Amino acid sequence: MGKTPPAKKRWFGQEVMHLIKNRELLSIASPGLLFILVIGYLPMIGLILAFKRYRYDLGILGSKWVGFDNFEFLFKSHDATRIIRNTLLYNCVYIIIGTAVALLFALLLNELTGRMVKIYQTTMFLPFFISMVLVGYITSAYLDHTNGFLNAILKTIGLEPHKWYFETTPWLFILPVVAIWKSVGFSTLIYYAGIIGISSDYYEAARLDGASRIQMMVHITLPLIKPLVIILFILGLGNIFRGDFGLHYFVPNKVGLNFPTTDIIDTYVYRALSKNGNIDSATAVGFLQSVVGLVTIVSANFLVRKVNKENALF
């Protein structure tokens, strides 16, 4: 009798046969895989800069190892508490309110028929393609203290105009509004795609039982798309420690007076990098953000698996 090949060899042989069998699909996917390799994985070699004192004349490999000294750049700053607090709180607001608004719009889209659905889809999705630089100019057109549209309205109704860029409190509301306006269309279409994938048999049975539209939303639509909501929520938590640089840099117009409520980790590190040129410190902060994001995703997924294994991401 012949010897049975080890499990690892059997597994390797099965994988090779699987790749050969699907070589046409693999060749089609190869440009995307190559793009991910070049853009997503090769630059990760530079992460070693987080543990080195980088010198241009010595290069990445020749620079001196300094351990975790570069990570002190963020935590020893007198602004550390403020920028970490702002980053975490803003991201929590964006995730929670953005999810709620996107779900509401998706449910409303599902109630429309005919061409109106496409019109509303296009209207909501268009801001997603606008760059943050342009969004900053649009915001300035509303908030400029001399010719801004919002101040013109305040003058019309007899109220005093504001110098929005020199105040702090209004940005607690302005930034979430701009963030949701720009990104809600993309999230809405994802939820809408999940809703239209629900079998119509559920709704027909509910209509026969006399259920209203609101009841069908609450008892059929929302429970069936709950796994999709949870997955997107977990993925959103992966960026809980990484702010939207474009939103917090271009929209507040880089005015120092509103930094107490607009400054986040990413904008702070960018300004420090542009002044001091410490690539190693910036790399350390980026590495820390990625690690925190990974830990957050794994922890959130672990909690979801404890509650309902089927709704977990992995």
Side-chain angles (χ1 to χ4, degrees):
M1 295 178 64
K3 294 183 178 180
T4 304
K8 288 185 178 180
K9 289 185 177 181
R10 291 201 308 270
W11 173 83
F12 182 76
Q14 291 174 357
E15 291 298 317
V16 171
M17 292 301 297
H18 180 73
L19 292 176
I20 294 175
K21 183 179 179 181
N22 297 278
R23 56 184 178 276
E24 293 86 0
L25 296 176
L26 183 63
S27 62
I28 295 174
S30 57
L33 296 175
L34 182 62
F35 177 82
I36 293 175
L37 175 65
V38 174
I39 302 299
Y41 285 92
L42 289 182
M44 292 177 69
I45 299 174
L47 288 177
I48 63 174
L49 287 176
F51 307 96
K52 289 193 169 192
R53 184 69 63 206
Y54 181 66
R55 285 181 50 180
Y56 292 92
D57 56 336
L58 297 178
I60 296 178
L61 299 179
S63 298
K64 179 183 177 181
W65 291 93
V66 294
F68 293 95
D69 291 352
N70 290 324
F71 293 87
E72 298 177 355
F73 158 76
L74 178 62
F75 296 102
K76 283 191 173 181
S77 169
H78 64 280
D79 297 318
T81 302
R82 171 174 58 84
I83 59 177
I84 293 175
R85 177 201 63 201
N86 288 350
T87 303
L88 294 175
L89 292 181
Y90 272 121
N91 282 330
C92 288
V93 171
Y94 298 156
I95 293 172
I96 295 173
I97 298 181
T99 300
V101 174
L103 272 174
L104 176 61
F105 285 170
L107 292 172
L108 294 177
L109 276 178
N110 192 46
E111 299 300 317
L112 299 176
T113 56
R115 294 183 179 179
M116 293 302 297
V117 176
K118 295 182 179 180
I119 294 174
Y120 282 112
Q121 283 179 343
T122 305
T123 304
M124 288 190 297
F125 199 47
L126 184 61
F128 181 77
F129 294 100
I130 300 177
S131 70
M132 273 300 177
V133 178
L134 184 55
V135 172
Y137 283 112
I138 294 174
T139 307
S140 178
Y142 277 86
L143 303 181
D144 185 75
H145 62 275
T146 55
N147 301 314
F149 181 67
L150 193 54
N151 276 340
I153 295 177
L154 293 177
K155 292 178 181 178
T156 302
I157 61 178
L159 298 178
E160 289 293 326
H162 283 260
K163 293 185 177 180
W164 304 100
Y165 289 100
F166 302 104
E167 302 178 17
T168 56
T169 304
W171 290 98
L172 296 173
F173 306 94
I174 294 172
L175 288 174
V177 168
V178 175
I180 292 171
W181 169 78
K182 189 177 187 306
S183 62
V184 72
F186 181 77
S187 301
T188 298
L189 290 185
I190 294 178
Y191 291 132
Y192 179 66
I195 291 173
I196 62 178
I198 298 174
S199 174
S200 60
D201 295 341
Y202 294 106
Y203 298 103
E204 292 175 1
R207 291 190 188 95
L208 292 176
D209 291 336
S212 64
R213 290 180 179 271
I214 300 297
Q215 290 174 327
M216 286 189 286
M217 287 182 185
V218 174
H219 298 289
I220 297 177
T221 307
L222 290 179
L224 289 178
I225 65 170
K226 184 176 68 173
L228 177 61
V229 176
I230 293 175
I231 289 174
L232 293 181
F233 186 81
I234 293 175
L235 292 177
L237 289 177
N239 291 321
I240 194 72
F241 206 62
R242 188 187 304 276
D244 189 333
F245 172 80
L247 173 66
H248 288 263
Y249 185 76
F250 294 109
V251 174
N253 208 19
K254 300 166 286 185
V255 178
L257 293 177
N258 57 44
F259 280 171
T261 53
T262 63
D263 206 16
I264 57 174
I265 295 175
D266 301 75
T267 54
Y268 180 84
V269 171
Y270 174 78
R271 291 197 307 274
L273 178 62
S274 60
K275 291 180 181 179
N276 304 326
N278 292 335
I279 298 178
D280 40 22
S281 298
T283 305
V285 174
F287 181 76
L288 179 63
Q289 288 176 311
S290 300
V291 171
V292 172
L294 175 63
V295 172
T296 306
I297 287 180
V298 173
S299 301
N301 186 77
F302 175 78
L303 293 176
V304 172
R305 285 180 66 88
K306 286 293 184 180
V307 178
N308 189 338
K309 188 175 181 180
E310 295 181 355
N311 291 336
L313 180 61
F314 52 85

